[in-house]
Amino acid sequence: MRKILGLLLLLASMQLAAQTYPITSINISLPANPDANTANWGSGTSLFTITANAKAVNGRVDGYVTESKILVTIKKGGAKVCGSFTANSAPVSNFNTLTKVWSGSNAVSLLGQGCVLPAGEYELTVQFFGAGAAGLAPLSEEKTKPFSIRAKEQLSYQPPQAISPANGMVLSEADTKKPITFRWTTVVPKPQEPVTYRLRIWQLMQGQTGTQAMRTNQPTITKDVDNMTQAIINNLIDGPCKLPYLCDFVWNVQALNREGKSIGGNSGMSGANEFSIMGNYGITIQNLVVECPKGTTYSFMVNVGNPNNQIAIFDKLEIVSVNGSLITPINIPFTPLTISPNGNITVFGSFNYASMINIVAIKAYIKEQANPLLNAASSYTTDTLQSCDPCDLNKVEASNNSIAVLNATNGTIKIQNTVSATPNNITKIVADLVYVKFKVNNTSCNRCNKEKKQQNNFMAQNVIANGTQWKINGNGAISHNSTNGITRSLTFNSTSSNGVNITSGIQINHTIGLPPTSCCGDEVEVWIRYSVWDKDCHVCDKLVKATLIRPNVCPDGTHTDNDTSPNKK
């Protein structure tokens, strides 16, 4: 009993002592995951604040509280890792109001040092000390605020992209006498630190590609700009390739941080844009018109001019860019032509390309007749074919092969069609039974159809060739029994994501239900539409008509004498 009483007295004395601290409460405000660098706790999303309250004595703060010292430390596992002060050396708090606030940089300065904390778990501690009979004594409890430093995430940046001069652009000599503005996009997302964009321009020597020039030549111009997406260049031409002849260049831009390290993939570099400058001996190429394709063949008309005082030979024409991307040049064969001084000539031709073209660039070459080796010049021009129908290129054909009457009494028929599409692989074929028409000589001969749900529908056993390459209405079997044996639409999905090549044609057999024939016989037209999806999601279709003569059938199921059907009994 005495032990229990003693314990209660001890607890009561401790509680009384805690309640007698002149500084009664401390509140620490700090985000759960602040910046790793304490120098950044002075503002922004990692703002650090201390708020403390003191007891009032005669309505004001006691002097020894005003002169108290405030000790702020950062601990990890109980051991101090940041904070240069001790209780003796801690700064004076200047606690001169009943509620005192230290915020931002004022609070950070109480650590006495800046620290960059590795990822991990930490505690921020605050306690006040004042003069006592035996030296410094605590004037408050030690307040602790736990927090975490997260591992720094590596952001994925997209490097800048070159915009202008655009790939394939041709500038005149007059253009070079004016400042040329090079433009590019910013790094995405925007870095918090400054970005230096380094523009470099290389000149191509005879026979070089842009890649070769960038690898082996020294840049003719290098220019750094900070946090800007353009640079103005004067006096671009300053190399061995001199006007009035053609000069070719390639340029790109690289994003760097303040330490000179690249930002983004591809070492922070944009793609390379090539451009040319045409001198006095040049070439004009205008009025390129490319027609929508017929199959894979594109026809075009181009006008080429010779703005010089010498006869020129026009001897080469190439497709150099498709849909905005450079390609290995496609030569367009034609007989070389001469162009009179300051004259022009119109050329008609065609070329083959297996995919749909929206934008195409053509490059023409001319040279002086008197000195063809020295004076060669070329120029680009572009045409946009935005209105072309993809089905002009993806040709779909469907043909009727045969019709056989399987059952003359109930009118079930079999139709065999061949469907082909070029040049792309096909990922889906949809067959729709869109129209069935009956024609009889005497309408009084029509018979009521007792099985109306079966009339004019695909029935069971619709089969597609190479069935292992197709799923019919979502099923993998090569033959299909539709729901209740009846449907007006069949879907054949390719089992390969790359589709199936049906250039040579694929056979599809349909079983179709019709009402029973009349005693007078009839003629039936069946229209089926085949829609095909290619691997680029272009959809094209073809409508096929099949005609069937159904013979006269008497009530006993026999045929009339004038019936020549191969199914005659």
Side-chain angles (χ1 to χ4, degrees):
M1 184 67 180
R2 289 181 179 178
K3 290 182 178 180
I4 295 174
L5 182 60
L7 179 61
L8 291 174
L9 290 172
L10 178 61
L11 292 173
S13 63
M14 291 176 64
Q15 184 177 8
L16 181 63
Q19 291 176 346
T20 60
Y21 283 137
I23 298 174
T24 58
S25 65
I26 301 171
N27 182 62
I28 303 172
S29 177
L30 183 71
N33 305 109
D35 193 291
N37 190 346
T38 60
N40 296 327
W41 291 6
S43 61
T45 58
S46 295
L47 182 64
F48 172 34
T49 303
I50 302 171
T51 304
N53 293 297
K55 284 184 177 180
V57 177
N58 297 322
R60 60 182 183 177
V61 179
D62 260 1
Y64 64 90
V65 172
T66 303
E67 296 175 0
S68 66
K69 295 187 176 184
I70 179 171
L71 178 63
V72 179
T73 60
I74 296 175
K75 298 179 181 179
K76 182 176 178 63
K80 183 170 72 172
V81 295
C82 184
S84 63
F85 298 118
T86 64
N88 286 312
S89 63
V92 176
S93 67
N94 295 316
F95 203 139
N96 51 13
T97 59
L98 292 177
T99 299
K100 180 72 174 179
V101 178
W102 296 262
S103 182
S105 58
N106 288 333
V108 174
S109 67
L110 298 175
L111 286 167
Q113 67 179 132
C115 303
V116 178
L117 303 174
E121 303 297 323
Y122 297 88
E123 306 89 36
L124 181 65
T125 67
V126 178
Q127 190 172 18
F128 291 85
F129 294 88
L136 285 179
L139 300 183
S140 71
E141 293 182 319
E142 183 182 65
K143 183 69 174 181
T144 300
K145 173 74 173 182
F147 65 94
S148 302
I149 299 296
R150 290 179 177 172
K152 188 174 182 181
E153 298 179 357
Q154 286 292 107
L155 290 176
S156 177
Y157 292 103
Q158 292 183 355
Q161 298 299 314
I163 298 176
S164 178
N167 217 5
M169 180 177 287
V170 178
L171 305 176
S172 69
E173 182 181 9
D175 292 330
T176 66
K177 295 179 180 178
K178 298 177 289 186
I180 301 175
T181 301
F182 289 76
R183 293 186 174 90
W184 54 87
T185 63
T186 61
V187 171
V188 178
K190 183 180 180 181
Q192 294 183 351
E193 60 182 331
V195 179
T196 296
Y197 292 98
R198 177 165 295 166
L199 169 68
R200 283 179 289 193
I201 306 170
W202 294 264
Q203 186 172 325
L204 277 65
M205 299 297 102
Q206 185 70 32
Q208 275 189 325
T209 66
T211 301
Q212 291 170 337
M214 295 169 66
R215 185 184 302 124
T216 61
N217 300 354
Q218 288 295 319
T220 58
I221 291 176
T222 300
K223 184 173 183 177
D224 290 353
V225 295
D226 293 333
N227 294 321
M228 295 178 63
T229 56
Q230 68 176 43
I232 297 175
I233 302 300
N234 296 290
N235 303 318
L236 177 62
I237 301 176
D238 188 25
C241 176
K242 298 286 187 180
L243 294 176
Y245 307 119
L246 178 73
C247 296
D248 294 317
F249 296 87
V250 61
W251 72 279
N252 73 2
V253 65
Q254 183 181 25
L256 305 169
N257 62 16
R258 53 191 166 196
E259 286 82 27
K261 296 180 180 179
S262 61
I263 303 175
N266 193 34
S267 300
M269 290 188 291
S270 71
N273 279 5
E274 296 184 28
F275 67 97
S276 302
I277 296 175
M278 194 66 61
N280 292 330
Y281 183 82
I283 180 174
T284 59
I285 177 169
Q286 301 171 344
N287 301 326
L288 171 65
V289 178
V290 181
E291 297 179 357
C292 289
K294 295 180 181 179
T296 59
T297 300
Y298 291 79
S299 298
F300 69 89
M301 180 276 292
V302 64
N303 182 272
V304 178
N306 170 26
N308 305 286
N309 295 322
Q310 301 291 328
I311 296 175
I313 301 173
F314 171 33
D315 66 346
K316 191 175 181 182
L317 199 59
E318 293 177 333
I319 307 297
V320 293
S321 174
V322 171
N323 297 337
S325 299
L326 289 177
I327 62 171
T328 301
I330 300 173
N331 186 51
I332 304 175
F334 70 99
T335 302
L337 303 168
T338 58
I339 307 177
S340 59
N342 300 306
N344 60 79
I345 191 168
T346 298
V347 177
F348 296 88
S350 64
F351 61 92
N352 292 320
Y353 202 77
S355 301
M356 175 58 66
I357 291 177
N358 294 323
I359 303 172
V360 59
I362 286 183
K363 190 173 187 178
Y365 296 80
I366 67 173
K367 54 192 175 185
E368 279 187 10
Q369 186 180 53
N371 195 348
L373 296 178
L374 177 62
N375 298 310
S378 63
S379 181
Y380 292 90
T381 190
T382 303
D383 189 26
T384 301
L385 297 76
Q386 298 287 11
S387 61
C388 285
D389 184 347
C391 296
D392 289 335
L393 181 63
N394 295 308
K395 239 24 209 180
V396 178
E397 298 293 343
S399 58
N400 171 252
N401 298 334
S402 66
I403 299 178
V405 177
L406 301 181
N407 189 311
T409 300
N410 63 24
T412 302
I413 64 170
K414 178 181 178 181
I415 295 179
Q416 183 183 101
N417 286 336
T418 298
V419 179
S420 64
T422 57
N424 288 348
N425 284 2
I426 301 304
T427 58
K428 181 168 67 174
I429 303 173
V430 175
D432 291 303
L433 186 56
V434 295
Y435 183 61
V436 180
K437 178 182 178 181
F438 300 92
K439 180 180 178 182
V440 295
N441 295 326
N442 187 341
T443 56
S444 64
C445 290
N446 283 334
R447 177 181 296 179
C448 294
N449 177 23
K450 296 180 181 180
E451 298 292 337
K452 291 184 179 180
K453 66 179 182 179
Q454 297 182 3
Q455 181 176 336
N456 307 342
N457 287 293
F458 291 124
M459 305 299 291
Q461 303 302 314
N462 290 274
V463 181
I464 186 170
N466 300 325
T468 56
Q469 295 180 306
W470 303 92
K471 290 182 180 180
I472 303 180
N473 282 17
N475 299 318
I478 63 172
S479 61
H480 166 66
N481 291 320
S482 58
T483 305
N484 298 322
I486 300 166
T487 184
R488 293 188 68 88
S489 182
L490 292 167
T491 300
F492 306 91
N493 290 297
S494 167
T495 57
S496 169
S497 59
N498 293 323
V500 178
N501 186 316
I502 62 170
T503 301
S504 59
I506 190 167
Q507 182 177 301
I508 304 178
N509 295 337
H510 299 290
T511 302
I512 299 173
L514 300 175
T517 185
S518 66
C519 283
C520 300
D522 55 17
E523 177 182 309
V524 185
E525 287 184 5
V526 178
W527 294 80
I528 301 175
R529 180 178 61 243
Y530 293 98
S531 303
V532 302
W533 275 252
D534 73 4
K535 59 184 178 60
D536 297 321
C537 289
H538 297 134
V539 185
C540 308
D541 56 45
K542 189 75 173 183
L543 193 62
V544 181
K545 180 182 78 169
T547 303
L548 167 69
I549 304 296
R550 296 201 296 178
N552 301 343
V553 179
C554 296
D556 61 0
T558 61
H559 295 264
T560 58
D561 291 338
N562 62 355
D563 177 21
T564 58
S565 167
N567 295 320
K568 177 180 177 180
K569 293 183 180 179

